[in-house]
Amino acid sequence: MPGHFEPLPGGGAAVALDEVEISIIRSLAVQLLELIGPGPAENAPDDPLAELFAEGPSEPPSDPVLQRLFPDAYSGPDVEARSPEEQRAHSSEFRRFTENDLRAGKRDNALTVIRSLDALTPAGDGGAVLELSPAQSEQWLRALNDLRLAIGARLDVVDEEDTELLYRLPDEDPRKPMVLAYLWLGGLQETLVETLMP
């Protein structure tokens, strides 16, 4: 079980994590929460119905990580031939009505990671076995994906070739710790996907 998820009887997944691994995942999840920002509830007026009808931003975020986490819905090579103006208008409208919910989902996933790590009872070596319910496993999977997207954006990973270049970075490269985290999280994510497959 060390370093990879395994299925639990009755559903869910488990992984043994040492003290350093717990600290790294928790720190990355906290940073992701800070990047995503507070939910509308923190800034909402006293009227609880106002939050239900709050509209999100209509412009894409300027931060490359947030652009990766919240991409335009109507742009890119797979979109039908539309004028750039039409693509921007459709993307803007879609973002306005969906981004708040997307951010809330990503916040919930990151919070599930943090809370489940905080609830661990460490063994004598500081490590612990994390056991997740099926629902928590799915939230962890989405959070691991978001963490990898965020780190990948910082490392300018766009395609498989970029990932291959990361393996060849010299040890003295300042990006090396981030690369190791990116690759390690990818391994965790892959074993969690395998665990959740029927």
Side-chain angles (χ1 to χ4, degrees):
M1 182 185 309
H4 64 274
F5 280 95
E6 294 183 2
L8 286 174
V15 63
L17 298 170
D18 66 30
E19 193 173 6
V20 172
E21 292 168 332
I22 292 168
S23 175
I24 290 170
I25 296 171
R26 189 183 190 291
S27 174
L28 290 171
V30 167
Q31 290 175 51
L32 183 64
L33 272 177
E34 291 171 354
L35 187 64
I36 292 170
E42 286 94 357
N43 302 323
D46 292 335
D47 182 3
L49 290 177
E51 186 178 337
L52 289 175
F53 299 103
E55 293 181 3
S58 58
E59 294 299 318
S62 58
D63 186 305
V65 173
L66 291 175
Q67 288 174 11
R68 184 82 55 98
L69 291 171
F70 305 103
D72 275 341
Y74 294 96
S75 66
D78 299 333
V79 175
E80 298 174 23
R82 290 188 177 132
S83 72
E85 293 79 22
E86 284 180 306
Q87 288 182 17
R88 277 193 295 278
H90 287 290
S91 291
S92 175
E93 191 73 2
F94 185 80
R95 182 178 299 281
R96 193 162 58 99
F97 292 109
T98 61
E99 189 167 314
N100 283 345
D101 287 341
L102 291 172
R103 284 180 183 262
K106 291 181 185 302
R107 268 192 298 277
D108 287 345
N109 296 334
L111 281 169
T112 294
V113 168
I114 294 166
R115 289 174 180 146
S116 58
L117 292 174
D118 288 349
L120 288 176
T121 304
D125 61 358
V129 175
L130 175 69
E131 294 188 357
L132 302 172
S133 70
Q136 289 173 320
S137 297
E138 290 180 17
Q139 287 186 287
W140 261 76
L141 185 59
R142 290 190 294 269
L144 287 172
N145 187 61
D146 287 342
L147 291 173
R148 290 194 76 238
L149 285 172
I151 295 171
R154 292 286 188 241
L155 293 170
D156 294 323
V157 174
V158 177
D159 55 33
E160 198 62 37
E161 287 180 18
D162 296 330
T163 304
E164 292 300 320
L165 293 173
L166 298 178
Y167 286 104
R168 295 192 289 267
L169 283 179
D171 288 343
E172 60 273 5
D173 191 298
R175 297 171 294 171
K176 192 70 172 194
M178 203 179 331
V179 168
L180 292 174
Y182 177 79
L183 297 173
W184 172 62
L185 291 172
L188 276 178
Q189 183 182 16
E190 186 177 333
T191 63
L192 185 51
V193 167
E194 291 168 0
T195 299
L196 296 176
M197 291 177 72

